[in-house]
Amino acid sequence: MDNEIYSHERRHSHKVPVLGVEIAPFRIPFHRRLETFAILQWTLTFLIGGFGLTFFSLYLLFTSYYWVSFLAYTWIIIDRWTPSQGGRRFSWSRRWKIWEHMRNFFPVELHKTADLDPNQNYIIAFHPHGILAVGAFIHFGTEATGFSKLFPGIKPSLLILRGWFFFPFLRDYVMIAGLCDSSKNSVDYLLSKNGVGNAACLVIGGARETLDMEPGKHRVLLNRRKGFIKKAMEHGASLVPVYSFGESDIYDSTCNVPGSKMRKLQEFLMKFTGFSLPIFHGRGIFNYTMGIIPYRRHINTVVGKPIPVVKNPNPTRTEVEDVHTIYVDALKALFDEHKTKYGISEDISLEII
């Protein structure tokens, strides 16, 4: 599908083309400016926030404000276990108005297909990652789409790379939204030492999945991702498949062929940093043609029915494979059931890699 279908900008007139670049009109509703600001701050936070704040803190060491950096790094050491022990969420921060503006930018919607029993724990498996994991953050890191109203009694904790929690200042910013690290210890804590009604929310494909992402393609990295299955079995936590339609379409991206020089470089960087380097572009702040801001394209996230998992503290490889097969079939069924509602042709299938 092309931009004419997805993009809200394309519905507005009075755009001025300059050398092939579509310039945004000067007069647009103020709420759209707020929406652009909201997504800009998240885009910058996600793409350069960690390294940017790290360089800033190092700069401060050579100024009279060196003590700020000293305190920041001391705090990281003192507070190093919190991200893997339920984090430090604040309900008020999850309800900030800025998240509603960010939701409205696309917009993003959350769709429920079944209730979740608050007397149980869950692993919510989110697909696909996309460039910014926008849907995952808005749904599970904020209340902009009304998660707590749709699933009363369930406390979602979005799990992200542990490396985020070594960045000064940024670590505390994301933690107040309920984000925790994605280590095994963190999952164990949420599912066994934090009572019931917990949902450990994992973006299964992770950064690696973005290297195979293409707009209009429905491709998820799942064949070798079985750790979350094993954890669900160890704790008897139900698995909840989630598919976010439109997540991969908010940017134009290039999928480099495995074995190519660029792909080798991307995989090298990911191996040593944990971060991938996908080639992508979106729109700009004042234009609709190029930039790092995503396009205004609708994202519809569907939460599937929970898959009961029998507790098995020491599952064998075969047992994990069996549950993994059940999960993959459920995810495919969820995709097939809802795809035509969101503009996907009936003959398109979900590709599992």
Side-chain angles (χ1 to χ4, degrees), residues 79 82-83 87-89 165 171-179:
D79 196 52
T82 300
R88 185 184 298 106
R89 74 171 58 220
F165 300 98
R171 67 187 303 279
D172 297 288
Y173 177 59
V174 298
M175 243 196 297
I176 62 175
L179 276 61

Side-chain angles (χ1 to χ4, degrees), residues 14-268:
H14 309 301
K15 293 172 294 185
V16 181
V18 178
L19 298 177
V21 177
E22 291 186 9
I23 305 300
F26 180 74
R27 294 183 179 180
I28 63 172
F30 183 62
H31 71 86
R32 289 173 64 85
R33 296 294 189 198
L34 293 176
E35 291 161 10
T36 301
F37 170 77
I39 191 60
L40 175 63
Q41 69 84 28
W42 174 247
T43 302
L44 293 176
T45 297
F46 190 94
L47 296 178
I48 63 173
F51 294 108
L53 287 171
T54 298
F55 292 139
F56 177 67
S57 67
L58 294 176
Y59 164 75
L60 289 181
L61 289 175
F62 299 94
T63 71
S64 58
Y65 296 99
Y66 67 90
W67 55 272
V68 174
S69 294
F70 177 78
L71 290 176
Y73 285 104
T74 300
W75 176 243
I76 290 176
I77 296 172
I78 294 174
D79 196 52
R80 63 188 180 279
W81 301 117
T82 300
S84 60
Q85 295 179 349
R88 185 184 298 106
R89 74 171 58 220
F90 291 97
S91 296
W92 59 272
S93 68
R94 292 170 58 86
R95 292 179 168 81
W96 284 347
K97 195 70 175 179
I98 193 172
W99 306 135
E100 295 180 18
H101 291 307
M102 182 174 164
R103 173 201 65 198
N104 294 337
F105 177 87
F106 296 96
V108 183
E109 295 185 57
L110 184 64
H111 306 278
K112 169 183 173 180
T113 63
D115 292 329
L116 298 182
D117 185 354
N119 294 311
Q120 297 182 24
N121 288 327
Y122 301 87
I123 289 182
I124 293 180
F126 184 93
H127 310 268
H129 183 286
I131 296 295
L132 299 180
V134 167
F137 177 73
I138 291 180
H139 299 315
F140 311 132
T142 81
E143 285 296 330
T145 53
F147 183 93
S148 63
K149 292 181 180 178
L150 288 173
F151 304 102
I154 303 298
K155 183 171 67 175
S157 297
L158 179 59
L159 308 186
I160 61 176
L161 287 174
R162 182 166 177 75
W164 279 70
F165 300 98
F166 292 105
F167 292 131
F169 313 116
L170 180 65
R171 67 187 303 279
D172 297 288
Y173 177 59
V174 298
M175 243 196 297
I176 62 175
L179 276 61
C180 302
D181 81 52
S182 56
S183 65
K184 294 179 181 179
N185 290 338
S186 181
V187 176
D188 289 336
Y189 183 91
L190 290 170
L191 299 181
S192 65
K193 300 178 182 179
N194 204 36
V196 294
N198 297 292
C201 307
L202 289 162
V203 184
I204 303 301
R208 174 66 177 75
E209 188 177 71
T210 64
L211 301 184
D212 295 297
M213 188 185 71
E214 293 179 78
K217 300 291 185 180
H218 303 279
R219 183 183 296 146
V220 298
L221 184 63
L222 184 55
N223 279 333
R224 300 180 64 182
R225 298 295 170 108
K226 298 170 184 175
F228 74 105
I229 300 289
K230 185 177 181 181
K231 283 300 173 186
M233 297 177 72
E234 289 175 353
H235 297 285
S238 296
L239 290 163
V240 182
V242 175
Y243 195 84
S244 193
F245 293 91
E247 190 78 38
S248 298
D249 299 307
I250 61 175
Y251 282 103
D252 290 328
S253 59
T254 300
C255 176
N256 291 297
V257 179
S260 65
K261 291 182 179 180
M262 179 55 70
R263 184 59 172 263
K264 289 180 179 178
L265 174 61
Q266 291 172 321
E267 292 177 345
F268 174 81

Side-chain angles (χ1 to χ4, degrees), residues 252-324:
D252 290 328
S253 59
T254 300
C255 176
N256 291 297
V257 179
S260 65
K261 291 182 179 180
M262 179 55 70
R263 184 59 172 263
K264 289 180 179 178
L265 174 61
Q266 291 172 321
E267 292 177 345
F268 174 81
L269 292 173
M270 187 177 62
K271 180 179 179 180
F272 288 97
T273 68
F275 300 96
S276 63
L277 187 64
I279 299 175
F280 67 94
H281 76 84
R283 51 160 288 184
I285 301 176
F286 302 111
N287 77 83
Y288 297 144
T289 306
M290 63 180 70
I292 63 170
I293 296 177
Y295 296 117
R296 288 180 180 263
R297 295 173 176 170
H298 209 143
I299 297 175
N300 286 282
T301 305
V302 182
V303 181
K305 298 177 182 179
I307 304 169
V309 177
V310 177
K311 187 173 183 178
N312 182 351
N314 297 292
T316 64
R317 178 176 297 182
T318 300
E319 290 170 333
V320 171
E321 290 279 359
D322 290 342
V323 177
H324 184 267

